[in-house]
Amino acid sequence: MRGLKVLPSGRPGRGRLYVNLPDGQAVAWYDRQANRISVLADDHREAILRVLRPYLSGTVAIGPPPVPTAADLVGLAMPPDADLAPNRPGETLLGELDHGPAGTRARHRLRQDLAAQQRMGDAFDALEAEGWRILHCVPLPGMGRIDHLLIGPAGVYCVRTVPGRRQRAVVGDLLLTVGRAEPRPDPRWIRRAAARATAALTTPVTPALALVEPSRLEVAPTVRDISVLQPLTAARDLTASPTTLKAPDIEALFTTARDLRTWFGRRR
């Protein structure tokens, strides 16, 4: 059949590939981790295999899908342009670099922010093997974007990433200072962002700051409600935290969080 489209769900090389009809209806998906094609419309079976062939490797199982969970059903009904799962770390910054300010200083700052988000994003994406689900560049209307949203056994974390620029970084209750630059209100911002995420997801969300390559990191002893992470130790710190969510809860929250409409407070 002509017109079948293959659309990714998740970042490149991860997650599922969905096969959709021209009207957007899903007729199959390929689970790359399980190396299995689940066929929803058997009359399109040959066409489905044809369009997926470039993406397949090894021995692939083919058959009807397993009994769908509630999260699966919601994901199948989600419009592709509402799915945040394909976002890469620093997705919005890539666009800003292409079309943003021409000034050398401004572009240098953008590149630093992008490099930090990509470095931290790679560290967080590695957690998927431990049962975590990760989203990047989640919009918060009126506040900008959450750099990374982590959903896993230890709970939900809302993360703002800050480049340390190989300088001393000090995290206080209200402000964060890197080197001799003006203090930044990141601690206050991430608390508000976590509160917004808690309301949107109806589950507790922990605020977190991720510092990338500071020469030294100091956290005020009064900062108890914000997790402070770094690329080399983030996975260890998060996986060592007490388990609060089970796998079905993680999938259900991920399905809600990846839907752009969740963050606008209404179903568009």
Side-chain angles (χ1 to χ4, degrees):
M1 176 182 177
R2 294 178 180 273
L4 290 182
K5 296 181 179 179
V6 178
L7 296 173
S9 175
R11 286 167 297 288
R14 302 173 182 267
R16 294 174 174 175
L17 293 175
Y18 282 91
V19 181
N20 290 1
L21 294 171
D23 64 2
Q25 179 186 350
V27 293
W29 70 77
Y30 172 46
D31 187 324
R32 284 176 279 200
Q33 289 187 332
N35 210 20
R36 187 181 193 279
I37 300 172
S38 294
V39 179
L40 297 168
D42 202 56
D43 51 331
H44 297 315
R45 187 184 183 100
E46 292 304 318
I48 289 166
L49 293 177
R50 190 160 51 249
V51 297
L52 283 175
R53 189 166 292 121
Y55 306 96
L56 305 179
S57 62
T59 302
V60 180
I62 304 169
V67 176
T69 64
D72 289 331
L73 293 173
V74 173
L76 287 169
M78 189 186 306
D81 61 353
D83 191 357
L84 298 173
N87 285 359
R88 298 163 293 176
E91 185 85 36
T92 54
L93 296 180
L94 289 167
E96 289 181 36
L97 278 171
D98 288 339
H99 308 289
T104 301
R105 183 183 294 270
R107 291 185 69 82
H108 179 64
R109 291 286 185 183
L110 280 175
R111 290 192 187 97
Q112 285 184 325
D113 289 341
L114 175 59
Q117 289 190 32
Q118 289 175 332
R119 174 82 184 278
M120 211 67 227
D122 288 343
F124 291 143
D125 285 345
L127 285 166
E128 290 187 347
E130 304 296 330
W132 289 74
R133 305 305 299 269
I134 316 298
L135 290 169
H136 305 290
C137 296
V138 175
L140 279 183
M143 289 185 64
R145 292 179 182 267
I146 298 169
D147 294 336
H148 318 279
L149 188 76
L150 320 179
I151 305 171
V156 184
Y157 290 76
C158 169
V159 184
R160 186 175 184 91
T161 296
V162 180
R165 304 197 298 274
R166 296 183 175 85
Q167 299 181 61
R168 173 174 172 260
V170 180
V171 180
D173 279 308
L174 302 179
L175 298 171
L176 182 153
T177 304
V178 178
R180 297 182 180 180
E182 286 293 318
R184 306 162 45 123
D186 298 274
R188 285 178 289 178
W189 188 95
I190 198 61
R191 287 190 184 99
R192 290 194 322 241
R196 285 277 297 275
T198 294
L201 299 176
T202 63
T203 196
V205 177
T206 300
L209 292 172
L211 277 294
V212 179
E213 293 187 345
S215 62
R216 186 165 80 255
L217 176 60
E218 299 175 14
V219 181
T222 51
V223 179
R224 299 188 180 95
D225 60 325
I226 298 175
S227 292
V228 180
L229 305 170
Q230 293 186 268
L232 295 178
T233 56
R236 181 195 66 199
D237 294 342
L238 291 168
T239 55
S241 299
T243 297
T244 61
L245 293 176
K246 296 181 179 179
D249 303 319
I250 293 169
E251 288 303 316
L253 283 168
F254 178 69
T255 298
T256 301
R258 68 191 283 188
D259 191 334
L260 177 68
R261 299 166 294 180
T262 295
W263 303 98
F264 284 82
R266 59 188 176 90
R267 310 300 285 184
R268 297 196 303 171

